[in-house]
Amino acid sequence: MMEDKYGMKIPEIPKEKFAFVQRSDEIHDEKLQTKAIGYLGDAWIRFRKNRSAVVAFVLIMILLLFALIVPVASHYTVAFRDGYYKMVLPRNSLFAGAGFWDGGKVEQQSEAGYLYLNSIGQETGKSAIMKVYDSFQDSTGATFYKVRTDSYNAVGYVFVNLSDSEYQNLKKYQDETGIQVMYPLQATMNKHFVRGNDGANFWYVLEDESQGTGGKPVLDENGGYIANYLTSDDPQKAGYDSLRIAGDGENGVYYTYAQKNQTGYRVRVHYEEYFNYVNGFYASFLFGTNVYGQDIFTCLAVGARFSLLLAISVATINFILGVIYGAIEGYYGGAVDMILERISDILADVPFMVVATLFQLHLAAKVGVVWSLLFAFVLTGWVGTAHRVRTQFYRFKGQEYVLAARTLGASDRRLIFKHIFPNSLGTIITGAVMTIPGVIFSESMLSYLHIINLDTSATLTSIGTMLSNGKDYLSTYPHILFFPAVFIAILEICFNLFGNGLRDAFNPSLRGAED
Amino acid sequence: MTKYVIKRILLMFLTLFVITVMCFVLIKLLPLPAVREMGKDINLVLMRREKMGYNRPIMVQFFLYLKNIFTDWDWGVGEQMYEGLEIWDVMMQKLPYTVVVNLYSILISIPLGLGLGIYAALKKNKWQDTVISTMIMVFISVPSYVYAFLVQYIFCFKLNWFPLQLASLSQAGSLFSGKMFVSMVPAIMSLSFGVIAGFTRYTRAELSEVLTGDYMLLARTKGLTKAQAISRHAMRNAMVVILPMIFGEFIGILGGSMIIENIFGIPGIGNLYVNSINVRDYNFFMALNIFYTLIGLVSGIVIDISYGFIDPRIRMGSKK
């Protein structure tokens, strides 16, 4: 035993009992088995755990795909405006007979209205009335019906003017396919009251012609309609002699299917079949049509594509401009910062409405509505990004690692883009994503207020334009407003959730704080 | 502090001046809409152009414009709409509608927003907080016009509680009558959802941050009840951020919401602005541009300065 200077007893161990752990140059330290997680990887792990943000991101992708694919794949375009299928209701063929999403609408009809709707299906079997719920009499004894009407079949028949060759083609089509498109003209067709849009549907005898299209039909003893067709005793004169409806040709009386006029033929066609004959497919609109007869589904996709592309381009351009400007401000500081900051202050204080309007008034005619809108967004939009970048640069530029890099001779550019910028990337990206919902909202607001006017454009529409077209029909045809409004609401919620998720992922310390 | 306030106000006027010049020049560069029939006589039109100063250089016109404003408070007259009426008079006639609707909305939103925010912060991470936070997210994100359509459809059309459009002054009697208020309710509701959600979010965020402070622990340790600690310490600190926001909102009510005014037919200042753009009445457009810029600038300044007045720490900090 040995004693040290404090009196502690230390057992003596012979030297031979010690052995070197390691004698070679190789160090047997345990290596790190895992790969280092980088800044972005770290953020990605945190982002993945945020369920709402992931759902929002997936939804955004779905909406983006919808916006990109539908305008290409759809039967319809923005330029497609059907004159007869106006404001028809949403219909999905999978929901036929389901009682909703089948193009039907519950209405209360007077007796005359009911008989009118009922008559439309008599010739073709395509009834405009899907279901009669109830009939009742009011205090005056008038009968009313509560019915579900089919907005597609309610269009019924229309008059069209065909040139000679068009008429011959239609005849050939009927003969080849056996599908009847043309129906007999009515004896009353030239009277003033059947000239309107609905006029082609009055194929029966009316009680009182002076009441026009509001009048009741004369019914026979079985409650059936009495046909009132234009007739002729010669089948050749009657125009068309191949496909004929039942009862035609009896007693040597033939129905007339076409009337020759100066430019060609006037015929009465069943619009559903005629639409198919002209376009090659039957009309069915998933989200219905608006007041111009445009397909809302397609318009929505085109509008969404416009909004999203605009918002993403604005965010990208603002990101680039803001980073450069903010980096210069933040990195150099001093007088440079002072001057640049005053300029951006003034730009930031110009109300966006003023900029957007002035750009529209000045540039819309020269470079187009879309470009002038983009310029307006970019003119003041980058200020926010620049401000964020500047703050980040002030935060990082005094830190030791930057000083070390400078001492080692790194150039300004290298310091800015290699050392400081990557550290502030998260905040800046979050800021850029957060501008997207704002841009989408502003754009829809401007187009809603007609400050940017896309009404006449054949290739473009915007969600705001669709909303402003539908606002007068809120009480009668709410579907025109419903789909764009829901779409933009979902889009805004998703982008905000996604932005919040990004912020939490990049700056965990800010979680839950709102800035 | 005084020095800071003066500096800010001077800077504000500089900014306003620069923006006004830019607007004026850009508007003057626009092609004039077709001259309305101010008189059949071409000489009359020419005389009028001369009198309006249209034949002079733009910068001279600008100083004439400023001179008229400062000496006679003359903002020009309407040329495409409200023809011949003083712009200032028309604006003053429209402003009350905007202010009243927005004032109601804010007076409802502030207590509701603060209340919900405080509640959520106190119940942080419990289900009540989750529900409120989700609602905030939804209501902040959904654009105000979507609420407007919903409110119109449900309350005005389906339930028939309120009229679809604002009552006119002759129907309602006065701007503050009960009938007027009822017809304003849909607009107030549509405006308030977003504002309430905004207030709730800020209050919740601020208060829940403040509640974790060390001085809150100290307050409890020295014997204050939870309610006392929250009202005397936490709320006072949270208010440093919330009050300026409230002040900002109060100034913002002058501007109103163009889209809500458009939907509900409120003849307010926002509607006037949109109309002036659509009919290209540049005199109105110019005056309203200045008006909106000024509102933005003033509310910014009020927010910044009120921080200093409310919180002595910030006031001291600015002296450095």
Side-chain angles (χ1 to χ4, degrees):
Chain A
M1 286 281 179
M2 233 174 82
E3 220 170 279
D4 71 357
K5 58 181 176 179
Y6 303 109
M8 282 279 271
K9 292 205 164 44
I10 301 168
E12 258 181 72
I13 303 168
K15 206 177 177 185
E16 304 83 59
K17 284 206 172 179
F18 289 101
F20 284 105
V21 170
Q22 179 187 350
R23 299 201 85 162
S24 62
D25 287 341
E26 208 181 326
I27 301 171
H28 288 279
D29 240 348
E30 211 173 325
K31 257 191 190 162
L32 284 172
Q33 293 298 314
T34 51
K35 255 169 73 182
I37 300 172
Y39 181 61
L40 290 175
D42 192 31
W44 168 236
I45 289 172
R46 273 193 296 269
F47 182 80
R48 247 180 356 198
K49 285 191 185 142
N50 188 339
R51 241 180 308 153
S52 60
V54 172
V55 171
F57 181 70
V58 171
L59 267 176
I60 291 173
M61 283 301 134
I62 293 174
L63 295 180
L64 196 64
L65 279 181
F66 164 78
L68 290 178
I69 292 173
V70 168
V72 183
S74 171
H75 282 318
Y76 310 102
T77 59
V78 173
F80 173 88
R81 291 174 185 217
D82 195 282
Y84 296 101
Y85 284 132
K86 277 180 183 171
M87 298 186 280
V88 294
L89 298 166
R91 181 165 81 174
N92 186 337
S93 52
L94 297 175
F95 285 77
F100 67 99
W101 207 1
D102 54 0
K105 183 186 186 185
V106 179
E107 284 179 324
Q108 189 175 312
Q109 286 286 353
S110 67
E111 198 177 358
Y114 170 75
L115 288 171
Y116 164 71
L117 285 172
N118 200 27
S119 76
I120 294 176
Q122 300 285 319
E123 289 168 288
T124 55
K126 303 261 182 179
S127 178
I129 292 177
M130 304 167 100
K131 196 174 174 187
V132 181
Y133 294 99
D134 194 15
S135 68
F136 56 91
Q137 290 180 329
D138 71 354
S139 52
T140 59
T143 313
F144 286 92
Y145 293 85
K146 198 180 166 204
V147 292
R148 188 171 179 80
T149 49
D150 186 321
S151 56
Y152 292 80
N153 285 350
V155 173
Y157 307 90
V158 300
F159 290 125
V160 286
N161 286 315
L162 300 176
S163 71
D164 197 40
S165 63
E166 281 170 341
Y167 176 62
Q168 298 306 331
N169 285 339
L170 182 56
K171 268 167 71 171
K172 214 163 81 191
Y173 171 81
Q174 285 202 134
D175 292 342
E176 279 168 6
T177 58
I179 297 171
Q180 185 153 17
V181 179
M182 286 186 276
Y183 283 83
L185 294 165
Q186 316 104 306
T188 52
M189 65 170 287
N190 288 328
K191 298 205 174 151
H192 65 97
F193 67 90
V194 290
R195 293 240 175 100
N197 230 353
D198 305 335
N201 286 324
F202 289 91
W203 57 276
Y204 45 82
V205 181
L206 279 168
E207 246 175 33
D208 180 5
E209 287 185 359
S210 66
Q211 279 189 14
T213 52
K216 273 200 236 171
V218 180
L219 299 178
D220 62 17
E221 59 269 28
N222 302 323
Y225 298 85
I226 300 167
N228 187 23
Y229 294 127
L230 196 62
T231 54
S232 157
D233 44 13
D234 176 7
Q236 293 306 315
K237 265 195 195 159
Y240 177 71
D241 55 359
S242 161
L243 284 178
R244 294 189 164 271
I245 67 167
D248 194 357
E250 283 173 21
N251 310 326
V253 178
Y254 295 92
Y255 297 157
T256 309
Y257 287 79
Q259 193 181 48
K260 202 161 172 34
N261 56 23
Q262 289 114 336
T263 51
Y265 291 91
R266 183 172 166 83
V267 291
R268 174 168 165 261
V269 292
H270 184 219
Y271 195 61
E272 186 182 330
E273 289 298 343
Y274 185 69
F275 185 95
N276 179 36
Y277 164 70
V278 173
N279 295 294
F281 56 89
Y282 287 101
S284 187
F285 304 94
L286 267 186
F287 288 178
T289 60
N290 66 8
V291 61
Y292 302 122
Q294 290 171 300
D295 178 33
I296 291 178
F297 189 69
T298 311
C299 285
L300 192 59
V302 173
R305 186 177 63 179
F306 171 55
S307 290
L308 284 168
L309 281 184
L310 181 79
I312 291 169
S313 347
V314 169
T316 316
I317 298 172
N318 284 348
F319 179 83
I320 296 167
L321 286 180
V323 164
I324 295 171
Y325 198 89
I328 294 171
E329 277 184 319
Y331 183 79
Y332 293 104
V336 177
D337 182 29
M338 241 290 283
I339 294 164
L340 291 183
E341 189 68 343
R342 289 288 84 76
I343 296 173
S344 65
D345 269 357
I346 289 177
L347 276 178
D349 283 328
V350 187
F352 173 70
M353 279 300 269
V354 176
V355 181
T357 312
L358 280 173
F359 268 73
Q360 279 303 310
L361 295 177
H362 269 285
L363 290 176
K366 287 175 203 151
V367 296
V369 175
V370 178
W371 286 105
S372 53
L373 191 62
L374 186 70
F375 287 148
F377 274 114
V378 167
L379 182 76
T380 58
W382 56 267
V383 176
T385 316
H387 192 73
R388 271 190 295 276
V389 177
R390 174 175 173 266
T391 320
Q392 295 295 318
F393 267 71
Y394 266 107
R395 203 174 117 200
F396 288 111
K397 74 173 181 186
Q399 294 201 350
E400 283 80 359
Y401 77 94
V402 178
L403 215 61
R406 195 198 299 277
T407 318
L408 288 170
S411 66
D412 280 356
R413 215 175 69 194
R414 192 175 167 80
L415 281 177
I416 290 176
F417 289 107
K418 279 272 171 190
H419 292 281
I420 306 180
F421 179 63
N423 270 312
S424 47
L425 194 62
T427 320
I428 304 166
I429 289 181
T430 310
V433 170
M434 290 293 223
T435 57
I436 291 180
V439 173
I440 294 176
F441 172 71
S442 305
E443 179 273 315
S444 68
M445 188 179 79
L446 289 173
S447 53
Y448 180 89
L449 294 172
H450 285 275
I451 290 173
I452 60 167
N453 196 342
L454 296 169
D455 270 355
T456 49
S457 169
T459 50
L460 257 189
T461 186
S462 136
I463 294 177
T465 309
M466 296 175 70
L467 289 170
S468 84
N469 286 342
K471 71 175 173 184
D472 295 336
Y473 303 94
L474 177 77
S475 49
T476 42
Y477 295 97
H479 73 274
I480 303 177
L481 271 178
F482 177 78
F483 290 104
V486 166
F487 186 89
I488 197 162
I490 293 176
L491 200 62
E492 295 279 299
I493 293 174
C494 284
F495 267 109
N496 277 323
L497 279 178
F498 175 57
N500 278 358
L502 272 187
R503 187 197 56 207
D504 292 348
F506 280 121
N507 298 316
S509 61
L510 279 180
R511 181 164 301 166
E514 315 289 347
D515 60 333
Chain B
M1 191 66 193
T2 324
K3 209 174 136 192
Y4 173 72
V5 173
I6 293 172
K7 196 179 129 197
R8 280 303 303 264
I9 292 177
L10 284 180
L11 259 178
M12 177 190 95
F13 279 111
L14 181 71
T15 313
L16 183 65
F17 182 76
V18 174
I19 295 175
T20 311
V21 175
M22 289 195 305
C23 275
F24 192 86
V25 172
L26 285 172
I27 289 174
K28 283 292 163 189
L29 290 178
L30 284 170
L32 274 176
V35 180
R36 291 285 195 95
E37 286 187 30
M38 290 299 187
K40 301 277 181 203
D41 189 356
I42 185 70
N43 286 326
L44 218 59
V45 176
L46 288 177
M47 260 167 66
R48 193 177 149 71
R49 283 187 67 86
E50 179 64 38
K51 189 167 176 296
M52 306 285 285
Y54 285 167
N55 298 336
R56 309 233 193 133
I58 289 176
M59 284 324 281
V60 176
Q61 288 187 45
F62 178 68
F63 286 107
L64 276 175
Y65 183 73
L66 285 191
K67 192 187 127 211
N68 284 338
I69 291 171
F70 283 118
T71 54
D72 304 335
W73 202 242
D74 173 15
W75 293 77
V77 292
E79 291 188 350
Q80 303 293 319
M81 55 182 200
Y82 302 102
E83 280 155 55
L85 290 183
E86 289 281 338
I87 281 171
W88 180 255
D89 296 346
V90 176
M91 274 169 67
M92 286 303 110
Q93 189 198 328
K94 300 279 174 191
L95 199 55
Y97 287 94
T98 303
V99 170
V100 169
V101 171
N102 283 280
L103 197 63
Y104 282 136
S105 156
I106 285 215
L107 291 183
I108 292 167
S109 306
I110 291 174
L112 265 177
L114 288 186
L116 283 172
I118 293 170
Y119 184 71
L122 295 182
K123 299 276 178 190
K124 183 142 194 180
N125 294 336
K126 296 194 182 134
W127 67 267
Q128 294 98 328
D129 176 42
T130 318
V131 169
I132 292 178
S133 302
T134 316
M135 299 286 279
I136 292 174
M137 196 62 224
V138 171
F139 282 113
I140 286 239
S141 310
V142 174
S144 57
Y145 51 75
V146 175
Y147 305 130
F149 295 137
L150 273 180
V151 167
Q152 264 193 338
Y153 189 69
I154 296 171
F155 294 107
C156 306
F157 173 63
K158 282 279 169 188
L159 298 173
N160 217 352
W161 289 354
F162 310 108
L164 271 169
Q165 300 277 304
L166 197 77
S168 71
L169 209 53
S170 55
Q171 283 170 348
S174 126
L175 207 52
F176 299 96
S177 67
K179 199 173 173 191
M180 195 59 145
F181 180 73
V182 169
S183 72
M184 277 177 184
V185 170
I188 296 171
M189 280 165 78
S190 325
L191 280 170
S192 301
F193 285 125
V195 185
I196 293 174
F199 274 125
T200 311
R201 181 162 86 159
Y202 272 94
T203 314
R204 176 183 168 276
E206 273 310 308
L207 196 60
S208 51
E209 198 186 318
V210 165
L211 281 175
T212 57
D214 290 340
Y215 55 86
M216 284 303 291
L217 203 63
L218 177 68
R220 292 301 302 280
T221 327
K222 75 184 182 192
L224 296 185
T225 64
K226 199 175 178 195
Q228 282 173 330
I230 287 168
S231 61
R232 294 187 197 164
H233 294 277
M235 277 316 286
R236 281 185 67 150
N237 274 292
M239 276 301 164
V240 171
V241 178
I242 299 164
L243 265 185
M245 189 183 154
I246 293 178
F247 292 148
E249 287 282 342
F250 264 103
I251 294 171
I253 63 177
L254 288 170
S257 160
M258 290 171 204
I259 202 148
I260 295 291
E261 292 192 1
N262 183 295
I263 290 173
F264 292 103
I266 301 168
I269 208 99
N271 227 341
L272 190 70
Y273 187 66
V274 174
N275 288 341
S276 78
I277 295 166
N278 286 337
V279 303
R280 307 278 148 89
D281 191 309
Y282 296 137
N283 286 353
F284 268 110
F285 184 51
M286 185 65 216
L288 286 164
N289 279 347
I290 297 178
F291 179 76
Y292 273 105
T293 313
L294 195 61
I295 289 175
L297 288 169
V298 170
S299 75
I301 278 200
V302 167
I303 289 172
D304 284 356
I305 292 177
S306 59
Y307 274 117
F309 277 110
I310 295 163
D311 191 349
R313 286 170 300 183
I314 297 173
R315 194 156 64 224
M316 303 311 273
S318 75
K319 276 185 183 162
K320 270 186 232 167

